[in-house]
Amino acid sequence: MFTRRNYIVVLLFAMILIITGIWIVRIISGQPLYLDELTRTFAKEVAGTTIYTVFRWITELGSSTFLTPFTIIVSMLLWRAFRDWLPALVFVLGTLSSHGLNILIKQLVERERPSILVAAHAEGYSFPSGHAMIPMVCYGFLAYLLAQKLHSSKKAVVIQFALALLILLIGLSRYVINVHYLTDVLAGFIFGFIFLLGQIYVYKWLRAKWT
């Protein structure tokens, strides 16, 4: 039974999806996005500053160079910790699938980046940000699994908060170093969160079916 709180959550979620859809339509039709026009100044002003340098390092935590070995190592640790192949398998497949979905959406929208930076893995199309979308799935599902494993609710909350903060900083780093528009990052978070919810649902379904 839906409560008032459920209705509010569904309404907010629907509004976010509608706004994202409007962004996509405007991008494809070649129209500017007002939010990006309002936020371009900051990204240009921090170039060459300490803030830029810090976020330039943070952005590497969402790169394929880091996430590929990270995903492999963590999957093996999950297999050992849970003594079950399912968490590890869903973790790996979820991360890989989110990468594939991100590429597909980029190819469909075909938005050019504000700037190209090969050293920061910033090539190709811009919308949505892979550094926002893929870490949301990778670190988000890891936070979910760790919360299930830990017996202490306080430790679970700390880990979830830390990983949520990491996801936020990695995504925002792409805006700060000027290789994505802010709407690219926000859309990456949105698509990544939706994917993460689906991933958790599939994991729960498989676990109930096979255990």
Side-chain angles (χ1 to χ4, degrees):
M1 183 176 180
F2 264 44
T3 63
R4 183 179 179 182
R5 180 179 179 182
N6 294 142
Y7 279 115
I8 293 174
V9 171
V10 170
L11 180 61
L12 289 174
F13 198 65
M15 290 176 62
I16 290 173
L17 291 179
I18 291 172
I19 292 172
T20 306
I22 293 173
W23 288 348
I24 293 175
V25 171
R26 291 182 65 88
I27 292 171
I28 292 176
S29 61
Q31 301 178 55
L33 300 184
Y34 301 121
L35 181 58
D36 291 330
E37 293 183 333
L38 290 172
T39 55
R40 292 311 303 147
T41 303
F42 176 78
K44 295 177 180 178
E45 289 179 347
V46 298
T49 66
T50 302
I51 295 176
Y52 179 94
T53 302
V54 170
F55 277 94
R56 177 65 184 83
W57 281 101
I58 292 175
T59 202
E60 292 301 319
L61 298 178
S63 68
S64 58
T65 304
F66 177 83
L67 283 182
T68 299
F70 176 83
T71 301
I72 295 172
I73 293 172
V74 170
S75 66
M76 291 188 292
L77 293 176
L78 289 173
W79 194 336
R80 181 174 181 179
F82 283 84
R83 297 182 181 179
D84 185 4
W85 55 269
L86 185 59
L89 180 63
V90 176
F91 175 74
V92 171
L93 292 181
T95 303
L96 290 176
S97 298
S98 65
H99 174 67
L101 179 60
N102 178 260
I103 293 175
L104 176 61
I105 299 173
K106 283 182 176 178
Q107 292 296 325
L108 293 173
V109 179
E110 295 185 342
R111 187 186 202 184
E112 299 297 332
R113 292 176 183 269
S115 65
I116 301 294
L117 184 58
V118 178
H121 305 275
E123 299 177 274
Y125 294 123
S126 188
F127 185 98
S129 167
H131 277 65
M133 182 174 173
I134 301 169
M136 173 68 78
V137 175
C138 179
Y139 296 121
F141 191 63
L142 177 60
Y144 169 78
L145 291 176
L146 292 178
Q148 302 300 307
K149 189 66 176 177
L150 293 173
H151 299 293
S152 170
S153 59
K154 290 184 178 180
K155 289 182 180 179
V157 170
V158 170
I159 289 177
Q160 288 179 321
F161 176 80
L163 289 174
L165 180 61
L166 179 61
I167 293 168
L168 177 65
L169 292 176
I170 292 173
L172 290 178
S173 72
R174 306 305 277 177
Y175 161 69
V176 174
I177 67 175
N178 198 33
V179 295
H180 277 292
Y181 296 103
L182 184 58
T183 51
D184 297 336
V185 175
L186 296 178
F189 287 147
I190 294 168
F191 284 122
F193 185 69
I194 294 172
F195 189 100
L196 176 60
L197 291 178
Q199 183 181 12
I200 292 173
Y201 176 82
V202 170
Y203 172 72
K204 286 182 176 179
W205 180 79
L206 290 175
R207 189 173 183 181
K209 186 178 180 65
W210 293 344
T211 58

